[in-house]
Amino acid sequence: MTKPPHPAPDQAATPGAGPRDAAVRTPPAAAQPRAGTQPPVGAAAPATGSPHVPSSWQRMRMWAAAHAVDDLYQGLVPACVPYFVLDRGYSYVAASGLTLAAALGSSVPQPFIGLIVDRRPVRWMAGVGVALAGIGLGASGLVPSYAAVWTLVLLSGLGIAMFHPAAGKAAREAAGDSAGAMSIFAAGGSVGFFLAPVLATPLLVSMGVGATALFIPPAVVMALVLLRHRPSTAGPAKAVRTGTDRWNPFLVLTGVEVVRSVVFFGVLTFIELYWIRHLHSGKVLAGTALACFLVGGVTGTLLGGRIADRHGMVRTVQFGSALAVPMLIGLRLTPGPYAPLLFAVLAGIALNIPFAVLIKLGQDYLPTRPGTASGVTLGLAVSVGGLIAPALGAAAEAYGPQGVFAILCAIPVAALALGLFLTDPETDPS
């Protein structure tokens, strides 16, 4: 007599709220309608489901893809520079000026954009930034005058400046405390750099610099995707805004990233010309050398996140800085057009081992300002490498591309010296 009324409330009640046999019967009842969704916890308590790993990694993959598209246009600048030299007769200084334009557009505004991202919900900024980056760079090969090319490359850099702080903050929220997870986002940028010469070289060889227009559609498509999904970045923002900002180690870290970016952009800008003018190879093999360097960059970025999760972020930064020196020396001294390809890969790995770690470490030093930290580590410090390009261009005019690579061999020593002053966020006092 008591059992007929008992099953009805049993089925309607929430799990764990009724008697013992209700708790026994509830899982099968809940399991059948939710055969595709394994975690019953997510149904009862959304709070436990939201930070669950699948959701976090799905959002990380989206931002990694966006980072790949955005940095495709950063990679297209050094990929296109040799063809502006060859097709339009630009000097080394004029060619490095294009790298300077991209660096100016992306470096100067980024700290200010990072402040805006930390204070206001500008979730549209990443999508608009990708669009501007692609349209500016894509149109640069269509205009005849150097001033117009320079201006469009500058606008493309501004789009990149808009993307990085907003995307870096969203990636931080998705990654949590994992340097390995953050390396997926950072590796997206490395993939974009890698795809740039792989996709651009055959098109530039066959069509000239006007082929840049073919790279406008990916930016537009990704911008639409980001604008459509922009509300998803707003959820857990407050979860990361805790802790004490540590500006001293952050400034040291910024110095390490500046040094790393000088070498990285130097190799990016001159590696193809080094193969063509010094090693006397063809354009295709020169493009292959750049692709090898960037494949190493993707590998190094992912590897650095794994190493940091096991051995610590500071040690990983120091290890990458130390490894870069012998790899660059091998790249400069190895004879012939084919054997140095191996060192192009190894140099890319070494230079990028600290990349994702520096992003994560910077946000750990400034836990209440993830947008600002991303704007500096992903933007300002990285882009400063492009600001040095004219000086390297002057060295190339005087000593050839081989002289530039001799200079680049010594620069990582400064990053190694600065890395000795980094401190682990967990043990850093105040």
Side-chain angles (χ1 to χ4, degrees):
M1 292 283 272
T2 39
K3 287 205 171 173
H6 188 66
D10 188 349
Q11 290 171 356
T14 56
R20 263 184 227 178
D21 49 5
V24 173
R25 272 183 227 145
T26 303
Q32 285 188 356
R34 298 174 180 260
T37 23
Q38 263 184 328
V41 168
T48 26
S50 54
H52 205 55
V53 173
S55 170
S56 174
W57 282 86
Q58 282 170 5
R59 286 181 42 201
M60 181 62 72
R61 286 197 296 267
M62 186 190 77
W63 286 108
H67 198 187
V69 174
D70 181 79
D71 280 15
L72 171 70
Y73 303 103
Q74 272 192 307
L76 280 174
V77 174
C80 292
V81 160
Y83 296 91
F84 280 105
V85 172
L86 299 170
D87 293 1
R88 299 191 178 180
Y90 291 172
S91 68
Y92 286 133
V93 174
S96 59
L98 297 180
T99 306
L100 172 65
L104 278 175
S106 61
S107 63
V108 175
Q110 285 219 41
F112 306 102
I113 293 174
L115 289 172
I116 294 170
V117 167
D118 283 331
R119 295 178 182 180
R120 302 193 181 280
V122 285
R123 298 187 296 274
W124 50 267
M125 189 174 285
V128 173
V130 169
L132 183 58
I135 293 170
L137 195 284
S140 66
L142 303 178
V143 295
S145 74
Y146 180 81
V149 173
W150 196 92
T151 302
L152 286 168
V153 173
L154 179 76
L155 290 174
S156 177
L158 177 60
I160 290 165
M162 294 171 65
F163 172 83
H164 277 137
K169 180 180 179 182
R172 161 74 172 184
E173 292 162 6
D177 291 329
S178 172
M182 181 58 79
S183 73
I184 291 181
F185 169 70
S190 299
V191 168
F193 268 109
F194 160 68
L195 288 177
V198 170
L199 298 175
T201 299
L203 294 173
L204 292 166
V205 168
S206 60
M207 299 172 59
V209 291
T212 56
L214 299 176
F215 293 95
I216 294 176
V220 176
V221 171
M222 182 52 71
L224 292 174
V225 170
L226 291 180
L227 291 171
R228 183 176 179 181
H229 293 88
R230 66 186 185 278
S232 65
T233 64
K238 294 183 180 176
V240 296
R241 297 179 63 85
T242 57
T244 303
D245 293 333
R246 303 181 182 100
W247 287 98
N248 287 339
F250 181 78
L251 291 174
V252 174
L253 176 144
T254 302
V256 174
E257 180 56 43
V258 166
V259 173
R260 190 200 74 86
S261 75
V262 168
V263 181
F264 185 75
F265 272 93
V267 176
L268 275 180
T269 303
F270 292 101
I271 190 169
E272 288 188 276
L273 292 171
Y274 177 75
W275 249 258
I276 293 170
R277 298 282 171 87
H278 180 68
L279 299 180
H280 307 292
S281 76
K283 295 178 183 178
V284 174
L285 188 59
T288 302
L290 178 56
C292 286
F293 176 68
L294 294 172
V295 165
V298 176
T299 306
T301 302
L302 292 170
L303 185 62
R306 296 292 185 92
I307 295 173
D309 280 340
R310 287 176 171 82
H311 303 288
M313 290 186 284
V314 172
R315 287 184 181 179
T316 303
V317 172
Q318 294 167 346
F319 171 68
S321 301
L323 188 63
V325 176
M327 297 304 105
L328 288 167
I329 292 173
L331 176 60
R332 171 62 185 88
L333 297 181
T334 304
Y338 293 100
L341 292 174
L342 172 62
F343 282 99
V345 175
L346 294 175
I349 291 174
L351 285 171
N352 281 273
I353 282 176
F355 181 41
V357 183
L358 288 168
I359 299 170
K360 173 70 169 60
L361 191 57
Q363 292 176 332
D364 286 349
Y365 286 149
L366 302 183
T368 72
R369 302 172 184 268
T372 301
S374 298
V376 173
T377 54
L378 277 169
L380 176 62
V382 171
S383 301
V384 166
L387 298 177
I388 306 299
L392 296 175
E397 292 280 6
Y399 306 107
Q402 64 273 24
V404 172
F405 274 84
I407 295 170
L408 293 177
C409 290
I411 294 176
V413 175
L416 180 58
L418 285 170
L420 297 176
F421 294 93
L422 291 174
T423 55
D424 193 2
E426 286 81 8
T427 59
D428 195 14
S430 81

